[in-house]
Amino acid sequence: MSQDQTAAPKPAPHRHAVEVVPDAGSLATRTAEWLIEQIAHAVQRRGRAVIALSGGSTPKAVFACLAGHPWRERIDWATLHLVWGDERFVAEDDAARNARMTREALLDHVDVPASHVYPIPADPGGDADGALDRAHVAAELYATTLHALNGGATLHDDKPLFDVVMLGLGEDGHTASLFPGTAALDERHAWVVPVQTDNVTAPVRITLTYPVLESTHAMLFLVGGKSKHAIAGRVLGGDESLPAARIRPLGGMLWIMDQDAATG
Ligand code: 6PG
């Protein structure tokens, strides 16, 4: 390696702000408020808000909040462009799909233009052995979608792809579908990759990779419930054996946690 390509010094643990709210209800309302603030900043900055949504169950209450009064009236939904940080590679109508959860909780109730919603491709179906190959095709397709959303440009630190990246935290320290021990953790070139966890009963996943998720003005970890207390403590303590502890957004990082997750 030439002199200027020697390994860069390890980045310092990322600074993050942490907000603790009393319960699941306030976790949803506080997050809805924060998202409205971020959308306003984004629209002022560049006329639109490009948001990568998290999946799983925690965001559902946030989306339901945004779909209702008074939050719904406070957002110009036509300014939003929505992608997902990860997805379960299952059939379109499978209840496990993050896009289905988001549609039922939010998109069916607000007017985001259909052309501004970019779901990760679903599994078109076929034999189980071929799922990973089909997921590779879907991941490459989605990477093309993200490239187009980014105006065909490569990722540049001075022009983040996202205005907001929403993330959750799994009890094993995964975030998006960046699971411990998977090759996705070391992927620094592809924007989107399939992930086969060691749980063979679980569906193949598709995830955005670290460089893409990190290309954001603002990152939110949304964490609730007693079951997340221990792992949240390890991630916030900088335990870099955990995927969630390794993410370094270009912009600020905020954790919004309920009391159960914060104090157990
Ligand atoms: C997914 C998510 C995943 C999730 C965490 C937390 O597709 O499952 O993207 O990263 O955010 O597993 O999930 P819960 O909110 O259900 O605890």
Side-chain angles (χ1 to χ4, degrees):
M1 278 205 289
S2 68
Q3 187 56 35
D4 63 354
Q5 286 180 325
T6 50
K10 206 160 182 49
H14 194 76
R15 304 167 327 290
H16 41 252
V18 179
E19 280 191 31
V20 178
V21 295
D23 50 32
S26 46
L27 187 66
T29 54
R30 175 61 191 123
T31 303
E33 285 293 339
W34 181 83
L35 285 169
I36 288 174
E37 291 159 18
Q38 297 308 314
I39 291 165
H41 291 321
V43 171
Q44 198 170 23
R45 190 169 46 229
R46 55 183 184 179
R48 67 179 193 173
V50 183
I51 303 176
L53 301 171
S54 56
S57 55
T58 308
K60 198 170 176 178
V62 177
F63 297 156
C65 207
L66 290 170
H69 179 76
W71 289 277
R72 180 170 53 194
E73 294 85 9
R74 293 171 53 196
I75 296 174
D76 177 355
W77 295 98
T79 63
L80 269 56
H81 290 259
L82 303 176
V83 311
W84 278 263
D86 73 320
E87 188 57 278
R88 294 83 180 276
F89 190 60
V90 291
E92 185 78 42
D93 61 353
D94 192 308
R97 262 181 71 81
N98 292 326
R100 176 173 162 179
M101 177 274 284
T102 311
R103 193 164 297 288
E104 290 173 349
L106 177 62
L107 299 178
D108 286 347
H109 311 283
V110 296
D111 295 327
V112 180
S115 61
H116 289 195
V117 179
Y118 312 86
I120 295 175
D123 185 358
D127 62 77
D129 295 348
L132 191 55
D133 290 342
R134 295 194 298 272
H136 268 290
V137 173
E140 285 172 12
L141 201 55
Y142 204 56
T144 305
T145 299
L146 295 179
H147 272 277
L149 193 54
N150 197 39
T154 54
L155 293 174
H156 281 291
D157 288 1
D158 59 355
K159 190 170 174 281
L161 167 57
F162 297 117
D163 297 290
V164 177
V165 168
M166 279 179 75
L167 292 171
L169 177 65
E171 292 181 39
D172 60 357
H174 80 260
T175 192
S177 285
L178 297 167
F179 283 87
T182 59
L185 302 183
D186 301 318
E187 181 56 59
R188 304 299 299 183
H189 299 289
W191 286 25
V192 188
V193 293
V195 177
Q196 175 83 67
T197 64
D198 52 15
N199 174 0
V200 290
T201 63
V204 172
R205 299 276 195 112
I206 291 180
T207 191
L208 274 53
T209 54
Y210 279 119
V212 182
L213 291 169
E214 292 170 347
S215 181
T216 185
H217 283 280
M219 178 173 279
L220 170 71
F221 268 95
L222 176 63
V223 184
K226 281 190 191 312
S227 69
K228 302 293 175 71
H229 172 61
I231 197 68
R234 287 181 57 197
V235 172
L236 288 169
D239 178 350
E240 294 210 350
S241 69
L242 301 169
R246 292 166 53 177
I247 201 156
R248 296 282 185 277
L250 291 174
M253 183 195 287
L254 172 64
W255 282 59
I256 302 182
M257 311 168 76
D258 64 15
Q259 199 68 49
D260 280 345
T263 57

